[in-house]
Amino acid sequence: MNGPSPLAVQDIMTNDPVHAPMERAQEWAAGAAYVIDRFVPLGEAAVPITDLGLVRADAVYDVVSVSRGQFFRLEDHQARFARSCDRMKLSNRFTQAEEAELLNELVARTGLKDAYAWWAITRGTNLPHPSDRLHAERFKNRFYAFVIPYVFIKDDADRQAGIRLHVSKDYVRIPANAVDPRAKNFCSLDLNMSLMEAGRAGAEWSVLTDGNGVLTEAPGSNIFVVRENKITTPETGCLEGITRLTALDLCAEIGLNVEVGTVTVDDLMAADEAFLTSSAGGIIPISAVNQQPICRGSGPVSTRIHNLYWEKRWAGWHGTPVDYEAVN
């Protein structure tokens, strides 16, 4: 492959001293959690077994990443989380400022410079009054959160070589009039089962359609297709991804022709290159679809966006510094 390669981001995060965590007590090294009303080390975190978030997948969540000690697009993630709560009739007892302070304290407790911060609101329990499921306002919704070291869904070698993608044949994305995909929710068996299908097919990730040949989203990821100097990404049937938003911003910044609209499986199969976007790894180039090569390694557009994404992030773009002095 000619031209630049994707930055070895995982290697940099592992070996560059600027990414080294702050010194903290060993009990917090693996991660920190907030369960309903208290902070606990990750290993002590648990969800009550009658919580409808567990037994009914009745919950919404979000994930924000931290790198070099800065949250990335924290306010955008919080705004999406608030929209998810509204769409699923869930109530957050924290204000946006309080929520941000709580997430900051979790990161600060771990001392991590590169972190994955997850938080959720569940419906809570309806016991001993099962009929309360008819009335959202009768529930006491619960807040959970945890922070762990940053998660890559694919490593440096995968991003440089490009992953093999499988378009699911056995599963379709849950229709929007069943579960609104714009709300980041726990109802993901369609996505999870498609990953297992992809594994059986010898692929490394999956993507789902609406059942009529129109692409929606991949597990934990949005998809972009590049063909003849035009970049497209699905408009419906998918989460309003923050990394997707970032890729759209970067395309516009460097003058690439990008469009949010209908993207078909045929468009993907005929692509010059394609990539996924995810908070867990950033930009993930695709080299083959359904065992058919579409690009040799990471294509020039995917590589450019991948590298610009990390370079700008590490320079502080859309960054909110973590206050590590929030805990001692």
Side-chain angles (χ1 to χ4, degrees):
M1 181 178 65
N2 297 323
S5 297
L7 293 169
V9 177
Q10 195 167 8
D11 181 68
I12 292 170
M13 285 187 180
T14 301
N15 297 301
D16 191 328
V18 75
H19 292 270
M22 310 284 284
E23 289 190 10
R24 291 292 187 266
Q26 187 61 34
E27 64 179 340
W28 300 101
Y34 185 89
V35 178
I36 304 175
D37 60 1
R38 68 196 63 186
F39 292 94
V40 294
L42 186 69
E44 299 176 18
V47 176
I49 201 165
T50 58
D51 194 311
L52 292 179
L54 173 66
V55 299
R56 298 283 183 182
D58 192 350
V60 299
Y61 74 104
D62 218 294
V63 174
V64 64
S65 61
V66 175
S67 194
R68 292 194 180 177
Q70 295 192 80
F71 287 101
F72 184 62
R73 302 193 83 141
L74 176 59
E75 290 185 358
D76 290 320
H77 281 280
Q78 288 188 274
R80 183 178 66 181
F81 183 68
R83 294 193 299 271
S84 294
C85 288
D86 287 343
R87 286 164 176 156
M88 298 306 186
K89 297 180 174 57
L90 291 160
S91 177
N92 186 352
R93 74 177 188 272
F94 295 115
T95 66
Q96 181 173 324
E98 291 169 339
E99 182 181 85
E101 184 178 355
L102 188 153
L103 294 173
N104 182 95
E105 181 166 345
L106 283 171
V107 178
R109 282 174 180 264
T110 68
L112 292 168
K113 292 291 186 67
D114 298 286
Y116 176 101
W118 181 101
W119 75 105
I121 289 180
T122 67
R123 190 71 61 191
T125 183
N126 64 329
L127 298 178
H129 304 292
S131 64
D132 280 354
R133 286 178 63 193
L134 297 168
H135 306 282
E137 69 277 5
R138 294 183 185 177
F139 285 89
K140 186 175 181 180
N141 301 152
R142 292 168 171 169
F143 190 100
Y144 300 89
F146 66 82
V147 166
I148 58 175
Y150 185 78
V151 174
F152 284 94
I153 58 175
K154 294 297 172 185
D155 62 20
D156 287 339
D158 289 323
R159 286 191 297 278
Q160 290 167 357
I163 64 168
R164 299 184 301 274
L165 188 71
H166 178 75
V167 180
S168 180
K169 299 178 177 63
D170 296 341
Y171 305 96
V172 299
R173 191 68 180 106
I174 296 174
N177 60 353
V179 178
D180 189 342
R182 297 172 301 169
K184 197 169 177 69
N185 62 78
F186 281 14
C187 303
S188 59
L189 268 176
D190 51 349
L191 297 166
N192 295 342
M193 297 306 293
S194 75
L195 281 174
M196 297 177 194
E197 177 191 351
R200 293 193 300 271
E204 294 163 316
W205 212 250
S206 61
V207 66
L208 291 172
T209 72
D210 66 353
N212 296 301
V214 175
L215 295 176
T216 57
E217 62 183 337
S221 318
N222 294 103
I223 188 166
F224 284 72
V225 170
V226 183
R227 187 182 184 194
E228 297 176 354
N229 299 316
K230 181 180 179 181
I231 305 172
T232 55
T233 190
E235 181 175 22
T236 60
C238 59
L239 182 69
E240 296 168 337
I242 305 302
T243 314
R244 170 183 180 259
L245 171 64
T246 303
L248 291 170
D249 289 346
L250 292 174
C251 288
E253 178 180 321
I254 58 182
L256 298 176
N257 180 16
V258 62
E259 178 181 300
V260 179
T262 300
V263 188
T264 67
V265 175
D266 289 342
D267 293 331
L268 176 60
M269 299 301 295
D272 299 321
E273 54 183 295
F275 58 89
L276 302 178
T277 59
S278 172
S279 289
I283 311 301
I284 306 167
I286 296 165
S287 61
V289 179
N290 292 351
Q291 301 183 335
Q292 176 181 312
I294 63 168
C295 187
R296 291 185 60 198
S298 176
V301 173
S302 303
T303 298
R304 188 177 183 189
I305 296 171
H306 172 280
N307 290 353
L308 192 58
Y309 171 83
W310 287 107
E311 290 164 356
K312 288 178 71 70
R313 276 198 63 168
W314 287 341
W317 185 54
H318 287 302
T320 300
V322 175
D323 177 11
Y324 289 95
E325 300 304 315
V327 296
N328 296 315

